[in-house]
Amino acid sequence: MSMDPSLLAESPGAAPNSSNGRNDPGRGGAGLGPAAAGRGFAKYALAKLGGAAVSLLMVVFSAFFLFRILGGDPVDALTRDVPTTPAERAALRHRLGLDQPLSLQFVHYLQGVLTGDLGQSYQYQQPVTSLIGARLGATVLLTGTALVLAVSLGLWIGTRAGWRQGSTFDKVQVGVSLTLWSAPTFWFGMIVIMVFARYLGLFPINGMVSPYTPDGFWPQALDTLHHLVLPVLTMTAVIYAQYVLVMRSSILDEKDADYLVTARAKGLRDDDVRRRHAVPNALLPTVTLVFLQLGGVVGGAILTETVFSWPGLGLLAYQALRIPDLPLLQGTFLFFSTAVILANTAADVVYRFLDPRVRHS
C-alpha cells in the first residue's frame, strides 16, 4: 500500500521522484512487460531456491558431524543407573550401530534422510519422525500464540513511540524494550514463576495439562490455556521488544519523508497520515523479522519449554542433548534448520512483492 506516487501526482508543483524512491513502482522498472516481469521473478525465485538448497545440504552434513564432535557416549548415559557387564554394553553398542565405522554410519544416515527415515531414538525407542510429530502441536501452540501477541503489541507500541519521538511514552517504551530484550529468557521465566506461581499461586508452573483434569474437550482446553499463560507471557515479553525497536526505527525513517509532508499539506489528520501512509511503508523492514520468527515457531523455544517443562520440540531437543540421543538430535536439528531456511526464503519472495524497489532491481 504505497501512497507516494499518487500523493505527488496530485500535488501541484511537486517535483518528480521527490519521494526518494519509496515504493515508486516506476523506478528501475518502467517499460517491463508481463513476460519480462515473469522471467525476472522466475530468475529471482530460482536463485533463492538454489541458495536454500545449498543451505539445506550444509545442514544435512553438519547435523551428522556436529553432535559427534561435542562428545559424550550414549551407552554410558543409557546404562548409568543400570548394572551392566562389558558384554551387555557391547551388545547395546552394536544394536545402536555405534560400533560401525563413522563412514558407514554416515552412509546409513544419508539414506535415511533421503527416504524420510530419521532413525529411532535411543532413549524413547520410537521413530524420530513420530516423536517430532507428536510434539509439534504443543510447540506451535506455545510459540505461535506468543508470536501473534508479540507482533501485535510490538508494532502498535513501536508505531506510537516512533511517531511521538522524545515523549515520555517513547522513553519509557524504549527503556522497557531494551531491558526485556537484554534479559535472558531462562532468568525472566524464573522471575515469572516466582511471582505468579510461587508467590501469588495463580498459575501452574510445568506441563501442558494437569493429570487430574477431567476428560472432555472444554476441561482439557481450559486447563491447557491455564498452563499456557506463563510460558506465553515469558516468550511474548522477550520477543515483542524486537518489534518495538524495529518498528520505531522504521517510523523515524519515514516521519520526515516528502510524501508525508505532502499528505499533511493536503489537510489530512495526523492519525490518518500515520495510519494510511507512514505505517504501510514502515512495515517493510519488519517482514523479514516476522518470517524468521515464523521459522522459530516450528523450531520451538528450547529455553522457555525447558523452564516450564512444556512438552514441545524444544524440551525434546534438550532431553536428547543430555544423552546424547544422536538420531533425535539429528532429526530435531534438521527440522529446526529446515523451518528457518524455508521461512527466510519465503520472506525474500514476499519482500519482493511488497517493495517495488526490490521487484524492479
Side-chain angles (χ1 to χ4, degrees):
M1 178 179 176
S2 174
M3 302 304 298
D4 310 15
S6 60
L7 287 172
L8 294 175
E10 295 175 10
S11 177
N17 295 331
S18 61
S19 64
N20 297 323
R22 286 183 176 86
N23 283 0
D24 187 354
R27 291 181 65 85
L32 288 179
R39 287 193 298 270
F41 174 76
K43 183 178 179 181
Y44 177 85
L46 286 175
K48 294 300 178 182
L49 290 175
V54 172
S55 299
L56 286 173
L57 186 62
M58 295 176 64
V59 165
V60 169
F61 279 84
S62 60
F64 178 83
F65 294 103
L66 176 64
F67 299 109
R68 285 164 174 78
I69 294 174
L70 293 178
D73 188 352
V75 174
D76 287 342
L78 293 172
T79 60
R80 182 177 296 120
D81 300 323
V82 181
T84 53
T85 65
E88 291 173 335
R89 291 170 58 84
L92 177 59
R93 189 176 300 276
H94 177 73
R95 183 168 62 84
L96 299 179
L98 296 175
D99 59 342
Q100 299 175 351
L102 190 62
S103 58
L104 185 58
Q105 294 183 43
F106 182 65
V107 170
H108 291 162
Y109 161 75
L110 286 181
Q111 290 175 344
V113 170
L114 293 176
T115 58
D117 181 9
L118 299 179
Q120 184 160 306
S121 167
Y122 294 162
Q123 55 183 325
Y124 294 103
Q125 293 298 301
Q126 296 180 35
V128 172
T129 51
S130 299
L131 290 170
I132 292 176
R135 300 290 188 100
L136 180 60
T139 288
V140 171
L141 175 63
L142 170 60
T143 54
T145 303
L147 180 60
V148 170
L149 292 176
V151 172
S152 303
L153 186 62
L155 296 185
W156 183 81
I157 293 177
T159 298
R160 280 153 181 77
W163 201 252
R164 306 173 188 173
Q165 183 186 14
S167 65
T168 302
F169 179 84
D170 178 38
K171 294 177 181 178
V172 169
Q173 294 302 327
V174 169
V176 171
S177 299
L178 288 174
T179 301
L180 292 175
W181 199 0
S182 303
T185 303
F186 72 90
W187 175 84
F188 189 79
M190 297 300 292
I191 296 297
V192 167
I193 289 176
M194 288 171 55
V195 174
F196 294 100
R198 293 300 186 189
Y199 181 70
L200 298 177
L202 298 176
F203 301 99
I205 61 174
N206 55 56
M208 187 172 173
V209 178
S210 300
Y212 51 81
T213 302
D215 293 333
F217 174 78
W218 286 113
Q220 293 284 324
L222 291 176
D223 191 43
T224 300
L225 290 176
H226 195 207
H227 283 76
L228 189 65
V229 172
L230 294 188
V232 165
L233 174 62
T234 300
M235 287 197 66
T236 301
V238 174
I239 295 174
Y240 99 97
Q242 304 177 47
Y243 294 99
V244 170
L245 298 175
V246 171
M247 191 63 184
R248 178 182 180 274
S249 177
S250 300
I251 287 291
L252 291 178
D253 289 340
E254 300 290 334
K255 274 186 65 175
D256 297 324
D258 293 340
Y259 70 94
L260 294 186
V261 175
T262 303
R264 293 187 182 97
K266 293 175 64 176
L268 293 180
R269 295 186 308 160
D270 191 65
D271 287 344
D272 291 333
V273 173
R274 183 191 72 241
R275 185 178 66 255
R276 294 170 53 187
H277 304 303
V279 170
N281 286 284
L283 279 173
L284 293 177
T286 66
V287 171
T288 301
L289 182 59
V290 171
F291 273 87
L292 288 177
Q293 293 287 356
L294 283 175
V297 168
V298 182
I302 294 179
L303 291 177
T304 303
E305 291 187 3
T306 301
V307 169
F308 292 95
S309 299
W310 187 264
L313 292 176
L315 181 61
L316 184 67
Y318 170 76
Q319 293 170 340
L321 189 60
R322 298 173 60 186
I323 299 296
D325 191 335
L326 296 177
L328 188 53
L329 281 173
Q330 292 166 179
T332 52
F333 182 78
L334 282 172
F335 194 80
F336 295 169
S337 302
T338 301
V340 173
I341 291 171
L342 293 179
N344 198 12
T345 304
D348 290 335
V349 175
V350 172
Y351 201 91
R352 182 180 174 87
F353 283 102
L354 294 180
D355 194 343
R357 293 170 295 181
V358 177
R359 185 163 63 246
H360 298 297
S361 61

